[in-house]
Structure formats: structure tokens, C-alpha cells
Amino acid sequence: DWTEFPTVLSGCNDADCTERVHHVVVARDHSHLDGFFITGGFATDSTSSTLDDDGGGLFIYETEDVVIRNTHFFGNRADDSGGGLAISGGENVRIEDCVFTGNEGYADGSAFDVSLSDDVVVRNFVAAGNYHENEDRYGGISVYGSSITFENGVVVGNETDNVGGGFSLYTASGNITNCVVADNQAGDDGGSFYIRTDGDPTIANVV
């Protein structure tokens, strides 16, 4: 049981967590991650690579056939996108039975961000208590230029200084079904949803 006998992957390099890695985990093609707690990642642009500031907990970049299951992302941060998890240029990615709590993002997606990706499925998930602090970008769960399916999720108590406290969909297509989206806050528009898209997202059985 991964919750009774936890295995923690931490990005902290010292006892006080003042020194932290950019990404706790970086996925490769055909990766399969199952049954972990991921914390302490701090994706910050401190090197010449502009990719260092995405995906504090887990970074999936131009990667295909990835499965992440039974994993709790908490206490991660990104100076750009995806405090808990960032998917950029991914294909055939499955995120199942995962929890995102207490993560922070500055640009897009404090819980997680999906951009320019295809055939991403997120099911049986919880995103709660994540915070996004940028007054110009997009909130808790952010999707840009991607096809994605969300099923059986709970999105509660997330906060953004700008738009889309729960979900932000920008040029996105796919489905959001059988989800609870409640008590999220936005400093501007869309406490629960902010949709700015020429895609065809379908939202059904959402309360």
C-alpha cells in the first residue's frame, strides 16, 4: 500500500530545504511511475536552460507513452508553469489516481500545466489547495494547445491571483466529465473555469 508505507522522492538537498532541485523527476519515453510522494521540487530559471522553470515535481517534455499512477505531488513550486507537474509536447500520457496539494506556480498551472500535448488523460484525481500568484497568467490546472480528457476529479480550494482558479483552458480540446469543482478562487475571472479557446472542450456532469 503506497499510502500506508510511503516512499518519498524529495527535491530538498539539505535539511532545511533551502537548496532544491529543479525537477524531482524527469520522465522519458515509456516511463511508468507508480506509488510515490513527490515534494520539494523548485523549478527555477537559474541556468541557461529555459526549461528549468517548468515542472517542479515532475517534468514531462517531448515524451510519449508515459503513465503516472498513485502519486501525491505536494509542496512543489515552479517559477514558470506546473508547480506539481508540467507536460510540454507530450503524447499518450496517462495520469491516474494522483493527488496535487499545496503546490505553487508563477505562470500557468499551480497544480499542473499541460501545453502543446496530444492524447493526455487525467482520471481519478484530486487537486486541492494549490496557489498561483501571477496576476497575468492562468490558474490551478492549466491547459494550452492540447487535447486532454479529465475524468472523475475533485478540484477544490485552489486560488489564483488572475483567472481560472480551478481550470484554465486556452486553445484546448477534449472533455471534463464527472468532476467536483468547488470553492476555487480567482482574483479576476473564472473562479471555477476560465475558457478561452477555439477548440471544442465538452464539460459534463460537473458540480
Side-chain angles (χ1 to χ4, degrees), residues 82-107:
L85 162 67
I87 304 171
S88 178
E91 184 174 354
N92 188 28
V93 177
R94 299 293 181 266
I95 310 295
E96 301 175 344
D97 303 294
C98 290
V99 178
F100 301 82
T101 59
N103 301 287
E104 297 182 26
Y106 183 73

Side-chain angles (χ1 to χ4, degrees), residues 161-184:
D161 288 344
N162 192 31
V163 297
F167 286 93
S168 175
L169 307 177
Y170 186 82
T171 316
S173 62
N175 304 289
I176 300 175
T177 58
N178 302 325
C179 291
V180 175
V181 184
D183 298 325
N184 301 286

Side-chain angles (χ1 to χ4, degrees), residues 105-193:
Y106 183 73
D108 301 322
S110 54
F112 59 90
D113 174 73
V114 181
S115 64
L116 303 175
S117 297
D118 186 53
D119 190 20
V120 177
V121 177
V122 184
R123 61 167 58 98
N124 305 328
F125 68 98
V126 174
N130 302 284
Y131 176 62
H132 170 262
E133 63 178 315
N134 190 328
E135 295 182 355
D136 297 319
R137 301 291 285 272
Y138 305 102
I141 296 172
S142 178
V143 182
Y144 168 71
S146 301
S147 63
I148 190 165
T149 297
F150 293 97
E151 299 175 347
N152 305 323
V154 176
V155 182
V156 297
N158 301 287
E159 183 179 352
T160 177
D161 288 344
N162 192 31
V163 297
F167 286 93
S168 175
L169 307 177
Y170 186 82
T171 316
S173 62
N175 304 289
I176 300 175
T177 58
N178 302 325
C179 291
V180 175
V181 184
D183 298 325
N184 301 286
Q185 299 181 41
D188 199 341
D189 296 327
S192 292
F193 289 93

Side-chain angles (χ1 to χ4, degrees), residues 13-87:
N13 286 332
D14 57 22
D16 297 326
C17 206
T18 55
E19 297 182 5
R20 301 161 70 176
V21 299
H22 293 294
H23 325 286
V24 180
V25 179
V26 177
R28 303 302 184 197
D29 288 346
H30 316 294
S31 297
H32 189 152
L33 187 72
D34 193 335
F36 292 94
F37 290 77
I38 294 178
T39 188
F42 185 11
T44 181
D45 187 12
S46 61
T47 70
S48 60
S49 172
T50 58
L51 300 176
D52 282 341
D53 51 5
D54 294 331
L58 170 63
F59 191 33
I60 300 173
Y61 177 67
E62 294 186 352
T63 303
E64 63 182 8
D65 303 328
V66 175
V67 177
I68 310 299
R69 184 177 291 125
N70 298 322
T71 296
H72 187 169
F73 299 84
F74 68 99
N76 301 286
R77 177 183 169 87
D79 274 352
D80 198 348
S81 300
L85 162 67
I87 304 171

